[in-house]
Amino acid sequence: MTFSLPQAWVLLLPLGLFLWKYGRRPGPPMWLRAALLVLIVGALSGPSLRLADAGSDVVVVVDRSASMPLDLDRVAQELISLVESQRRPGDRVGVVAFGREARVERPLSATGSFGGFSRPVDVEASDLSSALDAANALIPQERVGRVLVLSDGKATGTDARGAARRLAARGIAVDWRQLARPEPALDVAVLSLDVPSAVSVREPFQFSATVRASKAVTGTVRLERNGRVLVNGPFDFLPGTNVLPLRDLVEEQGLVRYRLTVEAPDDGVRENDQGLAVLRVEGPRRVLLLTHQPQGTLAKTLGESGMLLEVRAPFRVSLDDLDGVGAVVLENVDANLLGEAGLNALASYVAQAGGGLVMTGGRESFGDGGYRRSPLEPVLPVSLEMREEQRRAAVAISVLMDCSCSMGATVPDGRTKMELAAEGVVAALTLLNEKDEVSVHMVDTESHEIFPLRPVESGLPLGQVASGFSGGGGIYVGEALRTGRQQILRSEKATRHVLLFSDAADSEEPDDYRRTLAELSRQSVTVSVIGLGSEKDADAALLREVASRGGGRIYFAEDALSLPRIFSQEALAVARATFVDEPASLEAAPDLPLLGRLPTEGLPQVGGYNLTYLKPRASVALRTLDGNAAPVLAMWPHGAGRAVAFTAEVDGPFTGELREWGALRATLEAMVRWAAAESSPLGDAVVRSERRGHLLRVTLDLPPGEPLPGALPSLVLLPGDGRPARAEQPMRWEDEDRLVVEVPLEGSGTWHPVVRVGPRALRAPPVTLPYAAEFEPGGPKEGQVLLRALASVGGGIERLSMTGLFEDAPESEGSRPLAPWLVGLALAVLLAEVAVRRFLSGPRVRKPAVAGGLSTAGVMTAPTPSRETVRPTSTGTPPPGVTGAAPTGAPAETPGAEAPPAEKSVDSALEAARARSRKRMDR
């Protein structure tokens, strides 16, 4: 027996003393009262009884990676149903699915049946180790059971035997059932495409490809470099490993991508028929300028400065595009043109890879350009926060949200599109003023009111917005616009705006949208549209027309993760003044000398600037002399890189006198050179990267005799497609001058290893994974070896049949709480005590009163007459034959007078009342 609150037993002492002093009663009632006290204190202590037949927990772990059979879901659900049919009282079944990550599909349950897989997983990897750890966490520590693995045995994460040992330490065995594709008769797979780590421009080099064939076959080999075909012809493959010698020469610096494809008739696994490699062609670090004005002042200045300059229109950048780039310059570029992945890539490029970033101002930059709540906002040395002085006059906004069934689809991080849109709406509403008015409606085939038009100061039910639902068919655009018109025309605000959020591929029934938009335009109401999708989607033209006729803005969010940022951007454009469009004079700040010898007197006026605020620890070189005292030129080191913010417009209608300033070019060149400056090198240290299958091995060779770094170096692995960087992996010493680290590559694509040594970043040559590690050559027999090894750790077996699974599992020791039983028993004892005291226990015995003395109550009473006492006759004389005299001291009676009746004493009446009261209490 165990107690959840054993300290409660201490209460027995004070409560027992209280009962002895004030509730003591002889006989059975006293014993019942004592038992009642013990039962109450026992219930408070939380007792529970340990039982050895509380059933077992079985967790079914299902591999849902890409290498599994196509009918996996059906087969797995049938096996899980068979396991559930074996449950006994107390037995429970849970389900964990895994790919790159583990997902709990169903917690442990003693009833019901598994309804199918519902949570998405990344199928390009299979981390069996994390899945076993998830099963371990699912089974409570006080229970035991078994784990059943349904997999082909191809695991791409860390060694799963460690997780099996952790389960075995708890007495939980791992059983297995292999579900695998049939072994193909022929498999031709590209094992590797090996290129040098780096070459110089126009340097001839050789490289090779390794191809494995399960039997002799004649196939076709095709080699491309950046899409250009270099080799295309037949090749005779022998059984086993084949090495293909190749050569090339590259005339431009940057990152070069090679793609090798092999084709053979009757190849059973097409997924592993290609190889990828990237080659770094070295040269001077260059500056990448993204601008709409390739012949503008900034492009000419940087081109004439001697820096190697690459000028391009804004595009969705990746880390592959930034290899060999010393600094990226964004000249008045809207964040939506870079894409969410591009913003992530730029943030990683600066903070992790040690790159430089320069952002210049304008109507499409900083807050107006959608950088608030973006991955680049923390990188900038200025804050894009909104303060009270930036508020416009009060506005009214009607928000119309698409809640059709397509909004229920999930994104890679597990959230739905509806949740992201709701998060964006909530973020936008928090930017409004208390005097503003707003309404929110969700629309599918009809309008669903979240709340009508109301002032912000009255309080907004943001929780109702955040819990938005996804319902029926596509959004009816005409119905949505009519709802927005009805709401917004109720307001008298000077600025009235309608914001429509809709799926660019599922916007239906526009109806009389043109007439509705014309009426809104006559009433000076503007309409903006956020389309989820791309400009090529089926209904994108309709949404663009709605925004054009409504006099508002159009946004297309190809990545649903960008919705919160875009909603904030639109709210800022409507409700806040983030761009000052009036001339402002400049003054030199104390940190201007950090950029070199630049003039501090005779500074020009700017025609306008983006209103921002200097972050703590950032340096400011120029600021305005108006009431804002806002930074115009600010910089700071961020992570391993540097960032510069120039909030004035270099070329445009708000450049002002800045265009004629003689030191403009020197200032632009100085801030770009400051951002592109490399961190201090680490002597002659050399960093290398090598891919072995799906494992990446990175080494750092320190120069002999150099002092060792103060902190242990670590590896940051940056995905080339802009996904968030993985957590840093510490390196380990391999010998006295070399550190090494090995990490699995999570999915196909390009990976950029960066070794961090304190504040410095050393970029290793990038590597590629041509196909998911799931499709590396290897048949079902290799998978069986791993599954058997897992089972052998804890005594598991191969489960060809689900029968007997629970019989083989150990029984858990359950606990049954005893407090409810003790409370019930205490109620029974209480009733028994009342019954015994009232019906079976006699009254308390009291001492008789003493004649002429004090009663038990301490009251003087008269002597009680005996039975022989006879009342006198009416004449006052005793009857005949009776002798006696009146008591001594009694007054003499007057002859002939009638004797008065005997009077009751007041003291006697009080004593009688007390006796009745004591009798009631005793009952």
Side-chain angles (χ1 to χ4, degrees), residues 752-776:
H752 295 256
V754 178
V755 173
R756 295 292 302 273
V757 185
R760 291 165 292 193
L762 302 177
R763 303 187 204 179
V767 296
T768 58
L769 189 64
Y771 47 82
E774 297 290 300
F775 299 107
E776 292 180 0

Side-chain angles (χ1 to χ4, degrees), residues 799-818:
R799 288 283 174 185
L800 299 179
S801 172
M802 300 298 107
T803 303
L805 180 59
F806 282 102
E807 284 77 1
D808 296 339
E811 290 277 352
S812 301
E813 287 188 357
S815 60
R816 180 171 297 175
L818 300 180

